[in-house]
Amino acid sequence: MGLFNFFNKPEKEDSVSTIQVGQEWHYQTRKLEESSTLKIVKIEQYENIGKIIHISILDLKVKHPKFPDEFLTEATHIPITEAALLKSITSIKNDRCDLPDYEFGYVRWKHAFDEEKAGYFAIPVIEVVHYLEESANK
């Protein structure tokens, strides 16, 4: 091993250890939502599942019947697997940011999840956003 290689970091660091509550990330977005970001609001470890990362997605343009002249601009609580999140994020925007008001959505989800009446997403964030829009407009 040459001296140059000895002092250089590996090309890709372990992304798993970099995901932390309070971070804001850029992710692979839909067209016209390039400014959308996501925030890590909570991380939970489950024995049979692994990590579920709870995120809020900001600066969306989701068509929604409750907002006929506007768009739904944020999803405050989305539970997603760590693997799906890691496939989605592109670069960190902010290592420490204020958290949005996600608790109400989280508490409702957690109650339903514990009763096996709710799940989590295991698809990339861009597909989650498509799903949210399709579900709202059925």
Side-chain angles (χ1 to χ4, degrees):
M1 172 158 69
L3 187 58
F4 182 76
N5 291 339
F6 181 76
F7 289 107
N8 278 337
K9 291 183 177 179
E11 282 186 35
K12 185 170 182 169
E13 293 189 32
D14 184 10
S15 296
V16 175
S17 64
T18 64
I19 301 294
Q20 297 176 13
V21 171
Q23 294 175 329
E24 184 173 11
W25 288 84
H26 295 283
Y27 68 97
Q28 297 166 359
T29 63
R30 302 185 311 168
K31 190 175 181 176
L32 303 177
E33 288 177 328
E34 291 87 358
S35 64
S36 180
T37 58
L38 62 85
K39 291 184 178 184
I40 310 298
V41 297
K42 190 171 191 67
I43 300 173
E44 294 183 303
Q45 179 72 40
Y46 290 92
E47 188 174 318
N48 297 327
I49 300 167
K51 286 184 183 174
I52 293 181
I53 313 293
H54 301 271
I55 63 173
S56 291
I57 309 172
L58 312 170
D59 220 2
L60 292 171
K61 291 183 173 76
V62 172
K63 295 177 196 165
H64 196 288
K66 288 186 180 179
F67 309 102
D69 298 329
E70 298 178 20
F71 297 100
L72 177 67
T73 58
E74 70 179 27
T76 56
H77 177 254
I78 301 289
I80 188 169
T81 63
E82 181 178 44
L85 179 67
L86 291 174
K87 288 179 184 175
S88 302
I89 56 177
T90 57
S91 63
I92 193 159
K93 178 178 180 180
N94 191 345
D95 204 36
R96 287 189 173 201
C97 61
D98 292 332
L99 298 182
D101 186 16
Y102 73 94
E103 290 90 354
F104 178 75
Y106 170 76
V107 168
R108 290 183 64 203
W109 172 84
K110 181 67 172 157
H111 181 71
F113 181 77
D114 288 346
E115 292 183 350
E116 298 181 0
K117 295 178 181 176
Y120 50 88
F121 290 99
I123 56 177
V125 174
I126 190 170
E127 293 179 32
V128 171
V129 175
H130 280 300
Y131 172 81
L132 294 174
E133 188 166 68
E134 289 173 8
S135 296
N137 291 288
K138 283 186 178 180

